[in-house]
């Protein structure tokens, strides 16, 4: 048979050559032909896998503003490992505004050579060597909020540069963008990231101006829902009120972002910071520490490193908790259902004096009967409590300090471990 003869005579080298040519021939035109269809290909990519649970990490802005440099980032990376932050789940180290100064003649973004003399690639390598992931900040418009070069007109080259540097997370702001269409612009930025070929978390930061909870899932993995947080109690109260109304939008792959943490920055009391952290966890918010991690007090560590509270935030069911009881005199009860069938319940006190707060099992979706209750700040089991639903005095009651929280996890009897 002629075919058999040809095959016999064909050397392994020739087969390899033919195969290589065939692959080249297939890839070349296919790549070109597929270019216009990029959005369809992009839509099929599994973006949700980038954030099955709310992202956790550190961001420079709340504490350091524009005062960022590579020494701070290296020291923070070291601190994230040494303090146990990484072990607790904080893995993204993100430089916010002011790392960038200009563009070169080809349009490529330039990191501040005074503050980052080693360049971003080397810094990314260092951060990665610690087992962390690395993030940067940009803006959809021509300038960032601090007046640095934004991404406008440069989405693709920026995305390619970030991929080349090894960036894992990009926060994209909305300053100087007022006449632009947010859903379209952010989708274009997402497509540029996908074209660059590296999985990069996209953190949308348009402060809830364009109702991102209605369209941002599938565009980015988290979207700010409010204007900037401040290191004060009233700011937390205001943000919680706004973010609490958006629970329907959150879930694995896409999260409401009520802004970064202020825990440890000094403007609130210990109780207020515990309430801030508890509510972010119950709201399944991204947990981006915003304090100086290089010299944390024991109090600050006891909040940021509370693994039982972090587990509420990171629970794989991915439900944003809701207010189940609103008491007119400043008390609120929140419930977040968890994957193992237990419930996280937060009793919050916005008033200026201690409040007794209570809940019935029927109000938090628990069956009548006994339940095991664990106090997640005291790290201790409370008594097993029984609410048969038949008697008023069976309600479960706690005392909550002013501006404070009692955060418990409740397992109905059958599930108790
Ligand atoms: C905006 C954002 C902040 C921060 C600053 C940086 O205000 O909302 O989180 O990124 O810009 O300039």
């Amino acid at each position: 048979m002629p075919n058999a003869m040809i095959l016999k005579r064909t050397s392994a080298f020739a087969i390899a050559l033919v195969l290589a040519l065939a692959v080249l021939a297939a890839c070349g035109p296919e790549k070109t032909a597929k270019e216009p269809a990029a959005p369809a290909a992009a839509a099929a990519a599994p973006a949700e896998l980038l954030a099955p649970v709310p992202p956790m990490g550190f961001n420079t802005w709340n504490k350091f503003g524009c005062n960022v440099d590579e020494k701070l980032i290296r020291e923070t990376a070291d601190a994230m490992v040494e303090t146990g932050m990484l072990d607790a789940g904080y893995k993204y180290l993100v430089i916010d505004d002011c790392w960038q100064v200009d563009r070169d003649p080809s349009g490529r973004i330039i990191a501040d050579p005074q503050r980052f003399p080693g360049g971003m690639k080397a810094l990314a390598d260092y951060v990665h060597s610690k087992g962390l992931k690395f993030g940067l900040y940009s803006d959809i418009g021509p300038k960032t909020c601090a007046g640095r070069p934004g991404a406008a007109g440069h989405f693709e080259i920026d995305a390619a540069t970030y991929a080349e540097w090894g960036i894992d997370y990009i926060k994209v702001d909305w300053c100087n963008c007022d006449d632009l269409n947010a859903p379209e612009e952010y989708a274009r930025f997402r497509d540029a990231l996908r074209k660059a070929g590296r999985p990069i978390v996209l953190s949308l930061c348009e402060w809830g101006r364009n109702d991102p909870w209605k369209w941002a899932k599938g565009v980015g993995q988290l979207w700010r829902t409010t204007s900037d947080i401040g290191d004060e109690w009233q700011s937390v109260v205001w943000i919680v009120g706004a973010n609490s109304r958006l629970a329907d939008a959150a879930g694995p792959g896409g999260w409401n972002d009520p802004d970064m943490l202020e825990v440890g920055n000094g403007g609130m009391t210990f109780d207020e910071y515990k309430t801030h952290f508890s509510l972010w966890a119950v709201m399944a918010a991204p947990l981006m520490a915003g304090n100086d991690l290089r010299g944390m007090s024991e109090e600050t560590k006891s909040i940021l490193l509370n693994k039982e509270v972090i587990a509420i935030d990171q629970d794989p069911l991915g439900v944003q908790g809701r207010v189940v009881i609103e008491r007119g005199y400043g008390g609120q009860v929140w419930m977040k259902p968890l994957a193992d069938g237990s419930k996280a319940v937060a009793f919050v006190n916005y008033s200026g004096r201690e409040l007794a707060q209570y809940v019935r099992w029927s109000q938090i979706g628990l069956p009548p009967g006994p339940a095991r209750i664990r106090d997640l700040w005291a790290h201790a089991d409370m008594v097993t409590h029984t609410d048969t639903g038949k008697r008023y005095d069976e309600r479960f009651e706690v005392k909550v300090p002013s501006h404070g929280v009692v955060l418990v996890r409740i397992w109905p009897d059958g599930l108790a471990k």
Side-chain angles (χ1 to χ4, degrees), residues 27 44 64 66 77 96 107 115 146 179 232 240 267 300 309 319 321 349 353 402 409 415-416:
C27 293
F64 299 99
C66 274
D96 207 278
R115 289 176 173 267
D179 52 349
E232 56 189 355
V240 168
T300 297
V309 179
V319 173
N349 178 0
R353 59 189 172 80
S402 167
R409 183 166 180 163
L415 285 173

Side-chain angles (χ1 to χ4, degrees), residues 210-224:
N210 305 277
D211 299 354
W213 44 88
K214 294 182 180 159
W215 50 264
K217 190 157 191 185
V219 177
Q221 288 69 40
L222 61 161
W223 48 88
R224 283 275 299 278

Side-chain angles (χ1 to χ4, degrees), residues 59 61-62 96-98 137 144-146 171 173 175 205 207 224 227-228 259-260:
N59 174 299
W61 185 255
N62 283 356
D96 207 278
D97 210 344
C98 302
Y137 161 100
T144 70
C145 296
K171 172 177 168 183
D173 219 332
C175 275
C205 179
W207 325 299
R224 283 275 299 278
S227 52
D228 290 7
D259 208 357
M260 302 165 299

